[in-house]
Amino acid sequence: MSLELEQIHEDMLNAIHDRYQKTLGFPAYDFTRAFALAVLSLDGDVEVAERRLNVENLTGQELDLFIFQHRGLSRRYATYATATLRVVTGSGTIQAGALFSTASGVEFYATTDGSYTEGDTFPVRAYLAGESGNVEAGTITYMPVAIAGIAAVTNDAPATGGYDEESDDELRERYYNDLRNPNNGGNQQAYIAWALSVPGVGRVRIFPQALGANTVEVCIVDATMEAADSSLISQVQELIDPNNNGDGAGEAPIGAVATVTTAAEVAISASATIVLAEEADLGTVTEAVKTNLTEYLREIAFAEGTTYVSYAQLSSVVSSTEGVLDQSGLQVNGGSVNIPLTDRQVPVLGEVSLTT
C-alpha cells in the first residue's frame, strides 16, 4: 500500500457535507489536512512493518532477531585463528599482547606471559577475526615491536581456526533449511542443526549406526569446506555428546552415542596450456584460476548429491577465468576424467600449473 497526501486529503474533504466551506483557510480544510498528514505517516509505518514480515528484506541485527525469534537460530560469529610460535634465535621474556606478524601484515599477539629460550614455543592469536588469520607455516616471522633478547621466531605449522562471520545470505539459507527439514530433537536434521550452530562448521553429513547400534557419526567440514581441525571437532563433540557415551549430557538424546569426525581431503591438482589475452600476465591469471577453482570446489564440497568432481566443470572454470582466451590439454590429477568422491571425502585444491 502506498498513499498520496493529496488523494488522502481529497477523500476526507469529499466525505464532508458540501454545506461546509472546504477551501484553504477554513476549519474543514485545515483539520482534514492535519489528519491526512498523520494518515500518510502511518501508511509509511505500515509499509515498513510489512517489509519486516518478509525475511528476504531483512539484514544485520533485524535478520538476527527475526530468525532467533522464529527458529531459535543464532548467527555464527567470526573466530580467531591461533598458532604456535617457536623461538628460532635468542632468549627473553614475552608478555601477553606482544605483537608478531607476517610479511603481508597479518598480526598476531602472544596470549600468555613467559620466559623463553631458543627452541621454546608459545601460543599466539590473530589480532583480527576471520579467515585472514589462517596463514601458512613459516610466515609469522616479523616482530613489529622489538622484544629484548628475542631475535627471530617462526610458526612451524599453519595458523588455524579463523572463520568469517556467517553472512546474511548464509544465515538466511540455514533458516530456510531448518524450516524445510524440521528438527525433532533426535532425527538426522537435529544433529545437522546442532553441528551447524558451532562457529566454523561449514557442512555436515550424518551416518546413523555407522559405528554400531545406537550410534551416530557426525562428519563435518569447516567453513572453508576443508577437513576440520581437532579443536573444531572437539567443540562439536562437546555440544552434542561430550562424553561420547550416550548419557544425554549434550544435545543428543539419552542412548544415542554420537561421534564427531571430519572428512578426508582429496587434493585436486590441475595443469593445462592456456592462451592468454593481450597484456594478461601468466602469474596473475594463474592466481585467478586458483581462486575460481577453489570457489567451485567449495560449492560442491559435502553438498547433497555430490559424488565426484566434474572434469567438464573444472575445464569450464579454467576457460571462463578472466585473461584466458582458450585452454587445452587440461589434466586433473593426471587424467581427463571425473574424480570420484566417497561419502566422507571433500575435494580441496592442490597444485595448479598453467603454461603458455
Side-chain angles (χ1 to χ4, degrees):
M1 177 175 66
S2 180
L3 303 179
E4 297 293 336
L5 176 62
E6 298 304 327
Q7 185 62 53
I8 299 171
H9 194 198
E10 182 179 348
D11 290 343
M12 288 183 173
L13 291 174
N14 290 337
I16 298 175
H17 198 280
D18 287 339
R19 68 173 178 268
Y20 296 102
Q21 180 56 261
K22 296 182 283 184
T23 56
L24 178 64
F26 284 86
Y29 181 96
D30 293 342
F31 292 158
T32 53
R33 187 71 175 184
F35 276 108
L37 286 168
V39 170
L40 184 64
S41 176
L42 182 61
D43 177 59
D45 293 339
V46 170
E47 186 174 356
V48 170
E50 287 179 341
R51 282 183 52 81
R52 288 175 175 169
L53 293 176
N54 185 346
V55 69
E56 289 291 337
N57 297 326
L58 304 180
T59 60
Q61 292 184 348
E62 287 188 345
L63 179 64
D64 291 349
L65 184 60
F66 181 95
I67 290 180
F68 183 78
Q69 289 177 337
H70 287 76
R71 302 302 295 181
L73 302 178
S74 298
R75 188 188 298 268
R76 295 180 302 202
Y77 52 81
T79 60
Y80 295 84
T82 59
T84 299
L85 294 191
R86 175 175 55 86
V87 177
V88 177
T89 307
S91 63
T93 299
I94 297 176
Q95 297 182 337
L99 288 178
F100 305 88
S101 77
T102 65
S104 61
V106 180
E107 292 188 325
F108 291 77
Y109 64 91
T111 56
T112 59
D113 295 326
S115 296
Y116 305 97
T117 188
E118 186 174 319
D120 291 342
T121 60
F122 58 95
V124 294
R125 182 185 188 189
Y127 191 78
L128 297 177
E131 290 183 22
S132 61
N134 297 331
V135 299
E136 296 298 323
T139 58
I140 311 174
T141 57
Y142 290 81
M143 291 181 283
V145 179
I147 301 174
I150 304 296
V153 298
T154 191
N155 58 311
D156 294 319
T160 60
Y163 303 108
D164 293 337
E165 180 177 86
E166 189 172 29
S167 68
D168 286 346
D169 287 341
E170 290 168 339
L171 177 57
R172 195 177 290 111
E173 180 57 33
R174 191 155 59 93
Y175 165 75
Y176 287 142
N177 183 64
D178 197 66
L179 286 175
R180 291 190 293 263
N181 304 284
N183 170 357
N184 71 2
N187 60 355
Q188 291 193 34
Q189 180 57 31
Y191 288 89
I192 293 174
W194 293 330
L196 288 177
S197 71
V198 177
V201 175
R203 292 191 179 124
V204 186
R205 283 181 176 174
I206 305 301
F207 300 98
Q209 303 189 70
L211 304 176
N214 301 320
T215 67
V216 180
E217 181 185 354
V218 182
C219 192
I220 66 173
V221 293
D222 68 15
T224 65
M225 301 305 157
E226 298 178 357
D229 61 23
S230 58
S231 175
L232 186 57
I233 293 172
S234 295
Q235 290 178 56
V236 179
Q237 184 71 57
E238 182 68 21
L239 175 67
I240 297 177
D241 185 13
N243 298 316
N244 195 212
N245 62 5
D247 61 2
E251 296 288 356
I254 293 174
V257 179
T259 301
V260 181
T261 63
T262 191
E265 294 183 351
V266 176
I268 305 298
S269 62
S271 62
T273 299
I274 63 173
V275 178
L276 287 173
E278 187 176 355
E279 297 183 358
D281 174 72
L282 179 60
T284 301
V285 170
T286 298
E287 290 305 311
V289 168
K290 289 180 179 179
T291 297
N292 292 341
L293 288 174
T294 297
E295 289 179 359
Y296 166 68
L297 294 178
R298 287 184 176 185
E299 180 182 329
I300 67 170
F302 249 40
E304 185 175 355
T306 297
T307 59
Y308 62 90
V309 177
S310 169
Y311 175 86
Q313 288 295 329
L314 293 176
S315 178
S316 176
V317 169
V318 174
S319 298
S320 61
T321 298
E322 185 175 356
V324 176
L325 293 181
D326 196 7
Q327 66 89 10
S328 61
L330 175 66
Q331 293 285 294
V332 177
N333 287 10
S336 56
V337 296
N338 297 335
I339 306 300
L341 298 171
T342 68
D343 288 343
R344 293 173 177 80
Q345 289 182 328
V346 62
V348 298
L349 187 64
E351 183 179 353
V352 175
S353 176
L354 301 179
T355 57
T356 57

